[in-house]
Amino acid sequence: MAIGVILGLLVGAVLGLTGAGGGILAVPALIFGLGISMPQAVPIALIAVGMGAALGAFYGLRRGTVRYKAALLMGAAGVLGSPLGVAMAHRLPAQGLSLLFAAIMVLVSLRTLRQARGLGSPAHQADAAKTCRISPNTGRFVWTGKTAATLGAIGVISGLCTGMLGVGGGFIIVPALAHYTELRMHSIVPTSLTVIVLVSAFTVASFLAQGLVIAPPEWAFIGAVVAGMAVGQYLARRLTASVLQRGFASVCLVVAGLLIARSLM
């Protein structure tokens, strides 16, 4: 149980530091730390990350930085994609899921390294090319059919990955919002966390309806993630974005290599 607590604190800290990375580390932490299979790890990771994200979303709502209409739209769309992801997870072999998860981790780490070097970051993208515009008068989205369709598509893809792999919230939503909208990071991260809470809650409910049972070490991991989230948010104010991104990318590459080696053995 001690290993689960330590790993949970680390995963929660990453979630608090980056607003996006905790989920992608939660599943490998459960696989290697608690020795459970990929299908077993997915719902536990969703509960842990969903509860941790709820803390960050609450802070964002209190500060008024959550774009709640956009979050509700993406969350509703994610709920539509999540059951398909769960169904695919039950039909794919565990080895295939692990290799797919590892491939996503490598892609995420490479994108994060590019951002740490100042390439492809939101600051380098012309606002004129954004699909979803922000009103200069109200600071809110200018709602058009294209805006709704774009945000809805982001939600569906996020829900699909969430149901299939237990991840897909932050690492899809954050870069997508940065690319397609005029939102700045102080709004993107809490909005992403709000969507994660909504989609995770629905997906976990479906797992519980199928008879999910959570063991005491898994509950300890979940509680540690929530505690680590608070620690991560405190540390995030004291570290530079470049340091956070490089550290997260390095961890992702190492964990992806371990997952690939484990799957092929």
Side-chain angles (χ1 to χ4, degrees):
M1 186 175 293
I3 294 177
V5 170
I6 294 171
L7 291 174
L9 288 171
L10 292 174
V11 169
V14 172
L15 182 63
L17 286 167
T18 66
I24 203 167
L25 294 178
V27 172
L30 288 164
I31 292 173
F32 291 113
L34 299 185
I36 61 180
S37 67
M38 177 89 176
Q40 291 174 306
V42 167
I44 305 304
L46 281 175
I47 295 173
V49 174
M51 292 179 66
L55 181 62
F58 171 75
Y59 289 143
L61 286 168
R62 193 172 64 178
R63 295 170 185 149
T65 54
V66 175
R67 293 296 183 265
Y68 59 90
K69 290 182 181 178
L72 288 173
L73 173 59
M74 288 186 287
V79 165
L80 296 178
S82 174
L84 178 59
V86 172
M88 292 174 65
H90 287 141
R91 287 167 174 77
L92 291 174
Q95 182 185 41
L97 285 174
S98 295
L99 291 174
L100 177 60
F101 194 98
I104 290 176
M105 292 191 77
V106 171
L107 291 175
V108 169
S109 64
L110 293 177
R111 177 183 61 81
T112 305
L113 286 173
R114 282 174 55 84
Q115 289 181 344
R117 293 198 302 266
L119 301 174
S121 62
H124 291 262
Q125 298 170 6
D127 283 346
K130 305 292 187 180
T131 303
C132 306
R133 311 287 294 181
I134 300 294
S135 169
N137 298 321
T138 65
R140 302 180 183 277
F141 277 113
V142 178
W143 285 98
T144 65
K146 184 178 290 187
T147 297
T150 300
L151 295 176
I154 294 171
V156 169
I157 295 171
S158 172
L160 179 66
C161 290
T162 298
M164 182 167 59
L165 299 171
V167 298
F171 85 86
I172 287 177
I173 297 170
V174 169
L177 289 178
H179 182 78
Y180 290 107
T181 78
E182 294 178 333
L183 289 178
R184 301 308 177 202
M185 288 306 295
H186 74 278
S187 288
I188 288 176
V189 170
T191 301
S192 169
L193 291 173
T194 303
V195 179
I196 292 172
V197 173
L198 296 173
V199 178
S200 296
F202 176 83
T203 308
V204 168
S206 67
F207 279 113
L208 290 173
Q210 296 171 17
L212 172 66
V213 177
I214 303 173
E218 295 163 352
W219 276 119
F221 176 86
I222 292 169
V225 169
V226 178
M229 173 75 181
V231 174
Q233 288 194 321
Y234 173 80
L235 294 175
R237 297 192 292 269
R238 289 159 173 77
L239 297 174
T240 65
S242 177
V243 170
L244 293 175
Q245 290 171 328
R246 291 178 188 275
F248 173 63
S250 299
V251 171
C252 280
L253 284 175
V254 171
V255 174
L258 292 174
L259 277 175
I260 293 172
R262 183 179 185 273
S263 300
L264 296 179
M265 288 178 61

